[in-house]
Amino acid sequence: METFAFILHPLAVEDVSRKFGFAGKLPPRWIEAGLKALPALKVSEITGVRSSEAGEIKGWFVGCPLTARQMMELDPDYVTRKIIKAARKAEELGAKIVGLGAFTSVVGDAGVTVARNVGIAVTTGNSYTVATALQGVDYAARLLEIDLGGARVAVLGASGSIGRACARIMARKGHELTLVARRQERLLEVAELIRDESGIRPRVETEVSAGLKDADVVIAVTSAVEDLVDPAALKSGAIVCDVARPRNVGRQVAESRDDVFVFEGGVVRPPGDVEFNFNFGFPPKTCYACMAETMILTLERRFENFSLGRELELDKIDEIARLAEKHGFGLAGLRSFERAVSDEYVQRVKAGMERARARAKRRNPALVRVDTH
């Protein structure tokens, strides 16, 4: 039986209690100090992933004991060494490929150094994350009965590997773009690439609210550890796909704006009767797209470095989407703040959009439509 592993870590100190229940009673600074002292550990065994094309595989979750905040604030070389130790633990367990989850795929050079220091294949899973995020946008538009033709797309974190790839694919589809990130020089490089590839001339913004003001679709993929999106900055009827972990879009956005649709990107149902044997916050038998990419490559017996570094290849994104379909992976509906998107939520947003249109028409009777979908 072919084997894989996936490295995960607590996004916040509260998540440590998912594995160690007693941690919920300890001060956060004690927990973070304890995490630094812990070695990489096997968290659970993953069973039941089965494709009609390739049979059954098994794997393991391996824990890299640092929170998202620690990964961003501690010395990058120290954090990279911790990730390498987790990858070596996966190798010891017998995995032939290991996936890097959450911030373990962000630190340093996005997996390149990790791959050089272990004897098995490594992937960040970012290619399938991009594919499923964009599939989710299309799915959300169908639920809301919105035509995305002519929609403007804003990408938060457009200078990062996932954001850059999302922007390039959206430009390939003909969408007008706003690219948002902190460093203008890196954004300008992405904008120039997109102009050369597609002829689309993206707008560049370093301030989040300015980048969102006319966006029909928002894709949030930054590595920030705090909420970035001001509810008031969003356009009525906007579809907001938050791929980032921790989230870029706080719960208050959905609570205060009933005329925007917020969902999490990259929620996937693997084929077979999968058991993860660990609660990482998803419904049973579903997982992140980055986890799924590792499984897909294992089913294909593609034990090779796949999604690494800051430059995701569009050909690989297209390829992993095809392979996912071949083996029976697919979107498990949509999720919004740890819950499945319900018909009630869809109808609430549609009603909110109608009320926003009515208010706009009262302010300007000559206005027929207030959105550009």
Side-chain angles (χ1 to χ4, degrees), residues 207-224:
E207 201 278 314
V208 172
S209 292
L212 298 180
K213 64 182 180 181
D214 62 352
D216 304 297
V217 174
V218 177
I219 301 171
V221 289
T222 84
S223 57

mmCIF file with all atom_site columns, all heavy atoms in Angstrom, residues 207-224:
data_model
loop_
_atom_site.group_PDB
_atom_site.id
_atom_site.type_symbol
_atom_site.label_atom_id
_atom_site.label_alt_id
_atom_site.label_comp_id
_atom_site.label_asym_id
_atom_site.label_entity_id
_atom_site.label_seq_id
_atom_site.pdbx_PDB_ins_code
_atom_site.Cartn_x
_atom_site.Cartn_y
_atom_site.Cartn_z
_atom_site.occupancy
_atom_site.B_iso_or_equiv
_atom_site.pdbx_formal_charge
_atom_site.auth_seq_id
_atom_site.auth_comp_id
_atom_site.auth_asym_id
_atom_site.auth_atom_id
_atom_site.pdbx_PDB_model_num
ATOM 1   N N   . GLU A 1 207 ? -3.266  49.239 0.085   1.00 0.00 ? 207 GLU A N   1
ATOM 2   C CA  . GLU A 1 207 ? -4.210  49.428 1.186   1.00 0.00 ? 207 GLU A CA  1
ATOM 3   C C   . GLU A 1 207 ? -5.442  48.565 0.901   1.00 0.00 ? 207 GLU A C   1
ATOM 4   O O   . GLU A 1 207 ? -6.070  48.673 -0.149  1.00 0.00 ? 207 GLU A O   1
ATOM 5   C CB  . GLU A 1 207 ? -4.583  50.904 1.288   1.00 0.00 ? 207 GLU A CB  1
ATOM 6   C CG  . GLU A 1 207 ? -5.125  51.329 2.648   1.00 0.00 ? 207 GLU A CG  1
ATOM 7   C CD  . GLU A 1 207 ? -6.608  51.005 2.771   1.00 0.00 ? 207 GLU A CD  1
ATOM 8   O OE1 . GLU A 1 207 ? -7.348  51.298 1.814   1.00 0.00 ? 207 GLU A OE1 1
ATOM 9   O OE2 . GLU A 1 207 ? -7.005  50.436 3.812   1.00 0.00 ? 207 GLU A OE2 1
ATOM 10  N N   . VAL A 1 208 ? -5.786  47.707 1.866   1.00 0.00 ? 208 VAL A N   1
ATOM 11  C CA  . VAL A 1 208 ? -6.801  46.676 1.625   1.00 0.00 ? 208 VAL A CA  1
ATOM 12  C C   . VAL A 1 208 ? -8.149  47.274 1.239   1.00 0.00 ? 208 VAL A C   1
ATOM 13  O O   . VAL A 1 208 ? -8.760  46.883 0.235   1.00 0.00 ? 208 VAL A O   1
ATOM 14  C CB  . VAL A 1 208 ? -6.941  45.760 2.854   1.00 0.00 ? 208 VAL A CB  1
ATOM 15  C CG1 . VAL A 1 208 ? -8.131  44.810 2.678   1.00 0.00 ? 208 VAL A CG1 1
ATOM 16  C CG2 . VAL A 1 208 ? -5.664  44.954 3.069   1.00 0.00 ? 208 VAL A CG2 1
ATOM 17  N N   . SER A 1 209 ? -8.647  48.220 2.022   1.00 0.00 ? 209 SER A N   1
ATOM 18  C CA  . SER A 1 209 ? -9.988  48.750 1.761   1.00 0.00 ? 209 SER A CA  1
ATOM 19  C C   . SER A 1 209 ? -10.082 49.400 0.390   1.00 0.00 ? 209 SER A C   1
ATOM 20  O O   . SER A 1 209 ? -11.100 49.262 -0.307  1.00 0.00 ? 209 SER A O   1
ATOM 21  C CB  . SER A 1 209 ? -10.388 49.754 2.853   1.00 0.00 ? 209 SER A CB  1
ATOM 22  O OG  . SER A 1 209 ? -10.564 49.080 4.088   1.00 0.00 ? 209 SER A OG  1
ATOM 23  N N   . ALA A 1 210 ? -9.034  50.093 -0.033  1.00 0.00 ? 210 ALA A N   1
ATOM 24  C CA  . ALA A 1 210 ? -9.033  50.701 -1.361  1.00 0.00 ? 210 ALA A CA  1
ATOM 25  C C   . ALA A 1 210 ? -9.093  49.632 -2.447  1.00 0.00 ? 210 ALA A C   1
ATOM 26  O O   . ALA A 1 210 ? -9.727  49.823 -3.493  1.00 0.00 ? 210 ALA A O   1
ATOM 27  C CB  . ALA A 1 210 ? -7.785  51.562 -1.544  1.00 0.00 ? 210 ALA A CB  1
ATOM 28  N N   . GLY A 1 211 ? -8.462  48.496 -2.205  1.00 0.00 ? 211 GLY A N   1
ATOM 29  C CA  . GLY A 1 211 ? -8.466  47.427 -3.192  1.00 0.00 ? 211 GLY A CA  1
ATOM 30  C C   . GLY A 1 211 ? -9.791  46.699 -3.305  1.00 0.00 ? 211 GLY A C   1
ATOM 31  O O   . GLY A 1 211 ? -10.072 46.040 -4.312  1.00 0.00 ? 211 GLY A O   1
ATOM 32  N N   . LEU A 1 212 ? -10.629 46.803 -2.264  1.00 0.00 ? 212 LEU A N   1
ATOM 33  C CA  . LEU A 1 212 ? -11.880 46.046 -2.234  1.00 0.00 ? 212 LEU A CA  1
ATOM 34  C C   . LEU A 1 212 ? -13.086 46.819 -2.749  1.00 0.00 ? 212 LEU A C   1
ATOM 35  O O   . LEU A 1 212 ? -14.124 46.222 -3.037  1.00 0.00 ? 212 LEU A O   1
ATOM 36  C CB  . LEU A 1 212 ? -12.182 45.600 -0.789  1.00 0.00 ? 212 LEU A CB  1
ATOM 37  C CG  . LEU A 1 212 ? -11.186 44.675 -0.113  1.00 0.00 ? 212 LEU A CG  1
ATOM 38  C CD1 . LEU A 1 212 ? -11.663 44.352 1.298   1.00 0.00 ? 212 LEU A CD1 1
ATOM 39  C CD2 . LEU A 1 212 ? -10.989 43.406 -0.904  1.00 0.00 ? 212 LEU A CD2 1
ATOM 40  N N   . LYS A 1 213 ? -12.986 48.119 -2.869  1.00 0.00 ? 213 LYS A N   1
ATOM 41  C CA  . LYS A 1 213 ? -14.174 48.954 -2.989  1.00 0.00 ? 213 LYS A CA  1
ATOM 42  C C   . LYS A 1 213 ? -15.046 48.641 -4.198  1.00 0.00 ? 213 LYS A C   1
ATOM 43  O O   . LYS A 1 213 ? -16.254 48.846 -4.145  1.00 0.00 ? 213 LYS A O   1
ATOM 44  C CB  . LYS A 1 213 ? -13.778 50.429 -2.982  1.00 0.00 ? 213 LYS A CB  1
ATOM 45  C CG  . LYS A 1 213 ? -12.916 50.865 -4.153  1.00 0.00 ? 213 LYS A CG  1
ATOM 46  C CD  . LYS A 1 213 ? -12.552 52.331 -4.013  1.00 0.00 ? 213 LYS A CD  1
ATOM 47  C CE  . LYS A 1 213 ? -11.683 52.792 -5.188  1.00 0.00 ? 213 LYS A CE  1
ATOM 48  N NZ  . LYS A 1 213 ? -11.308 54.213 -5.059  1.00 0.00 ? 213 LYS A NZ  1
ATOM 49  N N   . ASP A 1 214 ? -14.469 48.171 -5.303  1.00 0.00 ? 214 ASP A N   1
ATOM 50  C CA  . ASP A 1 214 ? -15.301 47.858 -6.470  1.00 0.00 ? 214 ASP A CA  1
ATOM 51  C C   . ASP A 1 214 ? -15.180 46.402 -6.895  1.00 0.00 ? 214 ASP A C   1
ATOM 52  O O   . ASP A 1 214 ? -15.487 46.042 -8.024  1.00 0.00 ? 214 ASP A O   1
ATOM 53  C CB  . ASP A 1 214 ? -14.942 48.777 -7.635  1.00 0.00 ? 214 ASP A CB  1
ATOM 54  C CG  . ASP A 1 214 ? -13.496 48.612 -8.088  1.00 0.00 ? 214 ASP A CG  1
ATOM 55  O OD1 . ASP A 1 214 ? -12.746 47.904 -7.400  1.00 0.00 ? 214 ASP A OD1 1
ATOM 56  O OD2 . ASP A 1 214 ? -13.128 49.190 -9.135  1.00 0.00 ? 214 ASP A OD2 1
ATOM 57  N N   . ALA A 1 215 ? -14.772 45.531 -5.971  1.00 0.00 ? 215 ALA A N   1
ATOM 58  C CA  . ALA A 1 215 ? -14.542 44.118 -6.303  1.00 0.00 ? 215 ALA A CA  1
ATOM 59  C C   . ALA A 1 215 ? -15.829 43.311 -6.208  1.00 0.00 ? 215 ALA A C   1
ATOM 60  O O   . ALA A 1 215 ? -16.523 43.332 -5.188  1.00 0.00 ? 215 ALA A O   1
ATOM 61  C CB  . ALA A 1 215 ? -13.490 43.518 -5.381  1.00 0.00 ? 215 ALA A CB  1
ATOM 62  N N   . ASP A 1 216 ? -16.148 42.599 -7.277  1.00 0.00 ? 216 ASP A N   1
ATOM 63  C CA  . ASP A 1 216 ? -17.278 41.672 -7.277  1.00 0.00 ? 216 ASP A CA  1
ATOM 64  C C   . ASP A 1 216 ? -16.886 40.330 -6.664  1.00 0.00 ? 216 ASP A C   1
ATOM 65  O O   . ASP A 1 216 ? -17.730 39.621 -6.121  1.00 0.00 ? 216 ASP A O   1
ATOM 66  C CB  . ASP A 1 216 ? -17.756 41.442 -8.709  1.00 0.00 ? 216 ASP A CB  1
ATOM 67  C CG  . ASP A 1 216 ? -18.111 42.745 -9.401  1.00 0.00 ? 216 ASP A CG  1
ATOM 68  O OD1 . ASP A 1 216 ? -19.037 43.415 -8.931  1.00 0.00 ? 216 ASP A OD1 1
ATOM 69  O OD2 . ASP A 1 216 ? -17.451 43.102 -10.399 1.00 0.00 ? 216 ASP A OD2 1
ATOM 70  N N   . VAL A 1 217 ? -15.608 39.971 -6.792  1.00 0.00 ? 217 VAL A N   1
ATOM 71  C CA  . VAL A 1 217 ? -15.062 38.748 -6.207  1.00 0.00 ? 217 VAL A CA  1
ATOM 72  C C   . VAL A 1 217 ? -13.796 39.124 -5.447  1.00 0.00 ? 217 VAL A C   1
ATOM 73  O O   . VAL A 1 217 ? -12.950 39.861 -5.967  1.00 0.00 ? 217 VAL A O   1
ATOM 74  C CB  . VAL A 1 217 ? -14.725 37.702 -7.294  1.00 0.00 ? 217 VAL A CB  1
ATOM 75  C CG1 . VAL A 1 217 ? -14.007 36.493 -6.684  1.00 0.00 ? 217 VAL A CG1 1
ATOM 76  C CG2 . VAL A 1 217 ? -15.974 37.259 -8.030  1.00 0.00 ? 217 VAL A CG2 1
ATOM 77  N N   . VAL A 1 218 ? -13.670 38.617 -4.226  1.00 0.00 ? 218 VAL A N   1
ATOM 78  C CA  . VAL A 1 218 ? -12.474 38.834 -3.415  1.00 0.00 ? 218 VAL A CA  1
ATOM 79  C C   . VAL A 1 218 ? -11.878 37.478 -3.082  1.00 0.00 ? 218 VAL A C   1
ATOM 80  O O   . VAL A 1 218 ? -12.582 36.595 -2.563  1.00 0.00 ? 218 VAL A O   1
ATOM 81  C CB  . VAL A 1 218 ? -12.793 39.597 -2.116  1.00 0.00 ? 218 VAL A CB  1
ATOM 82  C CG1 . VAL A 1 218 ? -11.528 39.748 -1.257  1.00 0.00 ? 218 VAL A CG1 1
ATOM 83  C CG2 . VAL A 1 218 ? -13.403 40.960 -2.416  1.00 0.00 ? 218 VAL A CG2 1
ATOM 84  N N   . ILE A 1 219 ? -10.605 37.302 -3.378  1.00 0.00 ? 219 ILE A N   1
ATOM 85  C CA  . ILE A 1 219 ? -9.882  36.090 -3.001  1.00 0.00 ? 219 ILE A CA  1
ATOM 86  C C   . ILE A 1 219 ? -8.804  36.500 -2.013  1.00 0.00 ? 219 ILE A C   1
ATOM 87  O O   . ILE A 1 219 ? -7.904  37.281 -2.352  1.00 0.00 ? 219 ILE A O   1
ATOM 88  C CB  . ILE A 1 219 ? -9.269  35.400 -4.233  1.00 0.00 ? 219 ILE A CB  1
ATOM 89  C CG1 . ILE A 1 219 ? -10.369 35.029 -5.234  1.00 0.00 ? 219 ILE A CG1 1
ATOM 90  C CG2 . ILE A 1 219 ? -8.492  34.145 -3.817  1.00 0.00 ? 219 ILE A CG2 1
ATOM 91  C CD1 . ILE A 1 219 ? -9.840  34.537 -6.568  1.00 0.00 ? 219 ILE A CD1 1
ATOM 92  N N   . ALA A 1 220 ? -8.912  36.011 -0.785  1.00 0.00 ? 220 ALA A N   1
ATOM 93  C CA  . ALA A 1 220 ? -8.009  36.421 0.295   1.00 0.00 ? 220 ALA A CA  1
ATOM 94  C C   . ALA A 1 220 ? -7.043  35.293 0.608   1.00 0.00 ? 220 ALA A C   1
ATOM 95  O O   . ALA A 1 220 ? -7.465  34.214 1.021   1.00 0.00 ? 220 ALA A O   1
ATOM 96  C CB  . ALA A 1 220 ? -8.809  36.800 1.536   1.00 0.00 ? 220 ALA A CB  1
ATOM 97  N N   . VAL A 1 221 ? -5.744  35.538 0.416   1.00 0.00 ? 221 VAL A N   1
ATOM 98  C CA  . VAL A 1 221 ? -4.750  34.475 0.571   1.00 0.00 ? 221 VAL A CA  1
ATOM 99  C C   . VAL A 1 221 ? -3.470  35.003 1.211   1.00 0.00 ? 221 VAL A C   1
ATOM 100 O O   . VAL A 1 221 ? -2.392  34.513 0.928   1.00 0.00 ? 221 VAL A O   1
ATOM 101 C CB  . VAL A 1 221 ? -4.414  33.805 -0.782  1.00 0.00 ? 221 VAL A CB  1
ATOM 102 C CG1 . VAL A 1 221 ? -5.556  32.967 -1.267  1.00 0.00 ? 221 VAL A CG1 1
ATOM 103 C CG2 . VAL A 1 221 ? -4.054  34.828 -1.848  1.00 0.00 ? 221 VAL A CG2 1
ATOM 104 N N   . THR A 1 222 ? -3.567  35.982 2.099   1.00 0.00 ? 222 THR A N   1
ATOM 105 C CA  . THR A 1 222 ? -2.351  36.518 2.699   1.00 0.00 ? 222 THR A CA  1
ATOM 106 C C   . THR A 1 222 ? -1.896  35.636 3.857   1.00 0.00 ? 222 THR A C   1
ATOM 107 O O   . THR A 1 222 ? -2.642  34.789 4.359   1.00 0.00 ? 222 THR A O   1
ATOM 108 C CB  . THR A 1 222 ? -2.554  37.956 3.227   1.00 0.00 ? 222 THR A CB  1
ATOM 109 O OG1 . THR A 1 222 ? -3.130  37.915 4.537   1.00 0.00 ? 222 THR A OG1 1
ATOM 110 C CG2 . THR A 1 222 ? -3.425  38.782 2.302   1.00 0.00 ? 222 THR A CG2 1
ATOM 111 N N   . SER A 1 223 ? -0.668  35.864 4.300   1.00 0.00 ? 223 SER A N   1
ATOM 112 C CA  . SER A 1 223 ? -0.126  35.121 5.446   1.00 0.00 ? 223 SER A CA  1
ATOM 113 C C   . SER A 1 223 ? -0.261  35.910 6.743   1.00 0.00 ? 223 SER A C   1
ATOM 114 O O   . SER A 1 223 ? 0.382   35.584 7.742   1.00 0.00 ? 223 SER A O   1
ATOM 115 C CB  . SER A 1 223 ? 1.346   34.779 5.200   1.00 0.00 ? 223 SER A CB  1
ATOM 116 O OG  . SER A 1 223 ? 2.101   35.950 4.953   1.00 0.00 ? 223 SER A OG  1
ATOM 117 N N   . ALA A 1 224 ? -1.106  36.938 6.759   1.00 0.00 ? 224 ALA A N   1
ATOM 118 C CA  . ALA A 1 224 ? -1.328  37.717 7.973   1.00 0.00 ? 224 ALA A CA  1
ATOM 119 C C   . ALA A 1 224 ? -1.975  36.840 9.044   1.00 0.00 ? 224 ALA A C   1
ATOM 120 O O   . ALA A 1 224 ? -2.729  35.918 8.737   1.00 0.00 ? 224 ALA A O   1
ATOM 121 C CB  . ALA A 1 224 ? -2.218  38.919 7.674   1.00 0.00 ? 224 ALA A CB  1
#
